[in-house]
Amino acid sequence: MFYIGCHLSAAKGFFSMGKDALKIGANVFQFFTRNPRGGTAKKIDRNDVDEFLKTARENRFGIIMAHAPYTLNAAAKDPDIYRFAFDTIQDDLKRMELIPYNYYNFHPGFHLGQGVQTGIDKIVFLLNKVITEKQTTTILLETMAGKGTEIGSNFEELKAVLEKIIFSDKVGVCLDTCHVFDAGYDIVTRLDDVLDEFDRIVGLKKLKAIHLNDSKNLRASHKDRHEKLGQGCIGIDAIRRIINHPSLRSLPFYLETPNQLDGYAKEIALLKTFRTDSE
């Protein structure tokens, strides 16, 4: 089964997102749990959730992914910013249990001069405080482009976090194609080598999802600027190889390209023609 979708607006609720997904040919989607720049989360309507879950079952939806706000910094030096990260993730995880067995993705954070190891230790401490043994949600660390003091732009840093989580089965990785390319990994001409390296360092069993994006910038630019598929430096041929790679093809793919719904519909339709299976 080819699980492909995009980022949708959660403003009108889960059932609305489910309907939007169906309109554009998607069977998964991603959404922000609250304003991407931070703030209080909208109250969840249980009737809306029940309607969405019914739609998802009837249409064989795959795993839905929530995305934490960009302002969240789980490696923050400032106590108030660190507290915001803790409170936000803890609250989001409680809310995610209303749509169980899905993913919660976040950017690991910036160490802001404290040093990589201190930043990693803070992320580990926070996650070990908020993750519970009985939660159904899997938390994903996103691969990052390496802007400034950003943590998570290399596989070693992701491993350093993951290997210290007490409930290790509750965590994994979301590989963002734009980010990993901008971080310096050659997924265009050496995809097999990159995945072998990921497997050796982190383990492919920890790779749970793909953010499928082209990049406006050259490899190793460390700039993190997404582009529409086939219009950037990764290119459509590499995108085709990524969605068909034996180690990746069974994962859910979430588009974060600069598009509106009609643009996403076109990209999803194009990607379906690239798949080598019939579903």
Side-chain angles (χ1 to χ4, degrees), residues 187-189 191 236-245 248:
I187 58 172
V188 175
T189 65
L191 179 60
I236 204 66
D237 289 338
I239 296 295
R240 186 199 298 262
R241 288 191 291 272
I242 288 167
I243 67 169
N244 284 298
H245 194 282
L248 305 178

Side-chain angles (χ1 to χ4, degrees), residues 208-241:
K208 305 295 185 181
I210 305 291
H211 279 165
L212 192 64
N213 307 298
D214 213 321
S215 174
K216 289 183 180 291
N217 297 106
L218 297 173
R219 185 167 64 87
S221 66
H222 305 292
K223 290 185 178 180
D224 181 9
R225 300 213 39 217
H226 297 193
E227 182 55 281
K228 296 177 182 179
L229 301 185
Q231 297 184 25
C233 294
I234 295 176
I236 204 66
D237 289 338
I239 296 295
R240 186 199 298 262
R241 288 191 291 272

Side-chain angles (χ1 to χ4, degrees), residues 7 14 38 109 128 135 140 143 150-151 213 237 271:
H7 194 100
F14 287 101
N128 279 331
Q135 75 182 47
L140 304 185
T143 59
E150 201 168 48
I151 294 170
N213 307 298
D237 289 338
L271 291 169

Side-chain angles (χ1 to χ4, degrees), residues 33-34 38-39 68-93 104-110 119 122-131 139:
T33 58
R34 59 196 69 213
Y70 292 135
T71 49
L72 188 151
N73 185 1
K77 181 178 182 180
D78 184 293
D80 291 335
I81 297 175
Y82 191 66
R83 168 56 63 175
F84 171 77
F86 177 89
D87 290 345
T88 298
I89 293 180
Q90 187 173 60
D91 181 52
D92 284 348
L93 289 178
Y104 179 76
N105 178 72
F106 78 106
H107 295 180
F110 294 83
K122 288 194 167 189
I123 296 167
V124 169
F125 179 82
L126 187 154
L127 290 179
N128 279 331
K129 284 290 186 180
V130 300
I131 294 173
I139 300 176

